[in-house]
Amino acid sequence: MTASEEPQPASPFEALDQLDGAEIVPNGPTKGGGTLSKNAKKKMKKKEKKKTKGGDDEMGAPEVAPGTEPVQPSGVEIEYVADAMVSEDDPMYTEWVKIFEHFQKEPEKEGEAPKEEEQEKVKEVKEEKKVAKPVVEDEDEDEDKKAELSRKKYKLLHRLSIAELKQLVKRPDVVEVWDVTASDPRLLVYLKSYRNTVPVPRHWCNKRKYLQGKRGVEKTPFQLPDFIEATGIAKLRAAYEEKESEKTAKQKARQQSRPKMSKMDIDYQVLHDAFFRFQTKPRLSGHGELYYEGKEFEVQMKEKRPGTLSDELKGALGIPEEGVPVPVPWLINMQRYGPPPSFPNLKIPGLNAPIPPGAQFGYHPGGWGKPPVDEFGRPIYGDVFGSAEETEQLDEVPIEKEHWGDIKEEEEVDEDEDEEDEEDEDEED
């Protein structure tokens, strides 16, 4: 076929394909019987490119054009050898070589097996160190435990006990069960023991609501104070209410339409004296004193004094009020073990004070035991025999116990004295 007989491209797309080197079938048949579409041509181009790439790999490396870097095949390692920057004649050559060695890349060993061997060696060395490790100090062990324990377990481990906290503070009587759980227990106890400190209400830790336990409890009726009760007004009111209850409905209606005044015969002078002369102050709560459930049922021990027995207690213990004095039942134990440490200045007859007249020492019924003495017959706890000389008491200035700022009552001058004074003045004139 000559050049004149070569087929001409029917369309510009076929001309592009001829330039790319693709084989063109003029008016090639398609499935539809017409020419190829654009998408079909693109797919054909991709297939031809893949074929050409596969052929190049099989044939070998492509030729490299002059002036370009050769493309290295995969799986080939290239080692770069650095040029010697220092000549061997230099006297500092060995030193320079050592320095340059630190900056050169270490040659890697062939395969991955050596890396695994190195890791195994490192593990073996670590295990040998653990076995041959000397005894570590307590501080190091504590640090390891801190890393292992959680924060909650660490706090429980280092929490003080109640006994230890009471030994560390000056006022162990204010320490409570939950004080050891505070972030700084010593500071908390110090603040609680500080003067005029108001404690937190005790119902803070209760799950039920405040005063919930008083539901259904019958309230006691209000009682009049003693100075008002002494006037007898309660009896008058009771008699008046009883009289009112006996009235009929007709009498009550008549009383509402025509009420009567001054029904109760009250001496108003008695009421005046009750409020202005005999009135007493009610009991007021002290500083920081708060109410809690059951407080009104507690026994008030402020009026009691150690060593003084009431008549009721004496009767319960079988101590007669008259006749030969009988000791208290706990006297013999006190003579054996000593006086109570909470009351060092308390005088107890038969222990550190002489027994009353008419009483005798001994263990017979009504006896006062054996006085505590040492090996020389001297009393241990105090003058139990009453033979010590009485110390002379110095004259002390009397202490004024009156309240400051009280208004003094005006002295009532008798009328007779006034008249006598006036008569004397008249005689002098």
Side-chain angles (χ1 to χ4, degrees), residues 42 52-53 65 69 142 157-158 211 233 303 311 317 356 413:
K42 288 180 181 180
T52 53
K53 284 182 181 179
E69 294 181 358
D142 294 341
L157 185 64
H158 291 268
L211 300 180
I233 190 171
E303 298 177 357
D311 296 338
L317 295 173
V413 182

Side-chain angles (χ1 to χ4, degrees), residues 161-180 185 188-190 192-193:
S161 64
I162 300 173
E164 292 173 349
L165 182 60
K166 286 187 175 183
Q167 292 175 359
L168 295 173
V169 297
K170 294 182 179 179
R171 290 283 305 277
D173 54 316
V174 300
V175 176
E176 294 176 322
V177 181
W178 43 77
D179 290 345
V180 294
L188 176 62
V189 177
Y190 173 75
K192 287 172 68 174
S193 60

Side-chain angles (χ1 to χ4, degrees), residues 54-198:
D56 294 341
D57 294 339
E58 292 174 0
M59 295 298 293
E63 296 180 357
V64 181
T68 59
E69 294 181 358
V71 178
Q72 298 296 334
S74 59
V76 179
E77 294 183 1
I78 300 173
E79 183 178 357
Y80 294 94
V81 180
D83 188 12
M85 300 176 66
V86 183
S87 63
E88 296 180 0
D89 299 335
D90 193 348
M92 301 292 292
Y93 174 74
T94 55
E95 300 295 332
W96 286 112
V97 169
K98 290 179 182 179
I99 294 171
F100 291 144
E101 283 178 356
H102 291 289
F103 297 97
Q104 290 180 358
K105 188 177 180 181
E106 294 181 359
E108 296 180 359
K109 296 180 180 180
E110 296 179 357
E112 296 180 356
K115 292 184 180 179
E116 294 178 358
E117 293 178 359
E118 288 179 1
Q119 291 177 359
E120 290 178 358
K121 288 181 181 179
V122 172
K123 287 181 181 179
E124 290 177 0
V125 171
K126 287 182 179 179
E127 289 177 359
E128 289 177 0
K129 286 183 179 179
K130 287 181 181 178
V131 173
K133 191 176 182 181
V135 179
V136 189
E137 296 180 357
D138 296 339
E139 296 179 358
D140 297 339
E141 291 181 358
D142 294 341
E143 290 178 359
D144 296 339
K145 288 182 180 178
K146 287 180 185 177
E148 294 176 0
L149 295 175
S150 62
R151 186 181 296 177
K152 187 176 181 181
K153 291 182 180 179
Y154 178 76
K155 285 183 179 179
L156 290 173
L157 185 64
H158 291 268
R159 181 180 293 175
L160 291 172
S161 64
I162 300 173
E164 292 173 349
L165 182 60
K166 286 187 175 183
Q167 292 175 359
L168 295 173
V169 297
K170 294 182 179 179
R171 290 283 305 277
D173 54 316
V174 300
V175 176
E176 294 176 322
V177 181
W178 43 77
D179 290 345
V180 294
T181 60
S183 57
D184 193 349
R186 294 184 187 179
L187 177 62
L188 176 62
V189 177
Y190 173 75
L191 294 176
K192 287 172 68 174
S193 60
Y194 204 76
R195 188 172 177 268
N196 291 336
T197 300
V198 180

Side-chain angles (χ1 to χ4, degrees), residues 254-266:
R254 187 185 301 165
Q255 185 179 356
Q256 288 180 358
S257 60
R258 289 176 292 177
K260 294 180 181 179
M261 305 300 293
S262 66
K263 297 175 186 177
M264 298 176 63
D265 297 333
I266 301 174

Side-chain angles (χ1 to χ4, degrees), residues 393-411:
Q393 296 182 356
L394 299 174
D395 296 335
E396 297 180 356
V397 180
I399 300 172
E400 296 182 0
K401 295 186 178 180
E402 296 180 356
H403 294 289
W404 181 85
D406 285 350
I407 300 173
K408 296 181 179 180
E409 296 180 358
E410 296 180 359
E411 297 179 358

Side-chain angles (χ1 to χ4, degrees), residues 202-325:
R202 61 175 63 182
H203 63 269
W204 68 268
C205 56
N206 295 340
K207 292 185 178 180
R208 62 180 182 180
K209 294 182 179 179
Y210 182 56
L211 300 180
Q212 192 72 15
K214 296 195 71 174
R215 295 182 64 185
V217 178
E218 185 179 357
K219 290 185 179 180
T220 56
F222 176 74
Q223 294 181 354
L224 290 172
D226 296 335
F227 63 92
I228 298 177
E229 191 72 26
T231 59
I233 190 171
K235 296 179 181 179
L236 293 174
R237 289 184 63 185
Y240 176 74
E241 289 176 358
E242 185 179 356
K243 188 177 179 181
E244 286 289 325
S245 62
E246 293 176 355
K247 287 183 179 181
T248 60
K250 189 176 181 181
Q251 290 175 343
K252 290 179 181 179
R254 187 185 301 165
Q255 185 179 356
Q256 288 180 358
S257 60
R258 289 176 292 177
K260 294 180 181 179
M261 305 300 293
S262 66
K263 297 175 186 177
M264 298 176 63
D265 297 333
I266 301 174
D267 189 358
Y268 289 98
Q269 184 62 34
V270 175
L271 289 176
H272 178 273
D273 294 342
F275 282 98
F276 291 96
R277 291 184 62 186
F278 307 115
Q279 185 178 8
T280 57
K281 291 182 179 179
R283 184 190 174 278
L284 303 176
S285 59
H287 175 73
E289 186 179 357
L290 301 174
Y291 178 78
Y292 49 87
E293 291 186 29
K295 185 178 181 181
E296 63 272 16
F297 302 114
E298 291 184 354
V299 181
Q300 297 292 334
M301 303 299 294
K302 291 184 178 180
E303 298 177 357
K304 309 296 181 183
R305 293 290 179 270
T308 58
L309 304 180
S310 62
D311 296 338
E312 296 177 357
L313 183 56
K314 286 181 180 179
L317 295 173
I319 300 174
E321 297 181 4
E322 298 178 357
V324 181

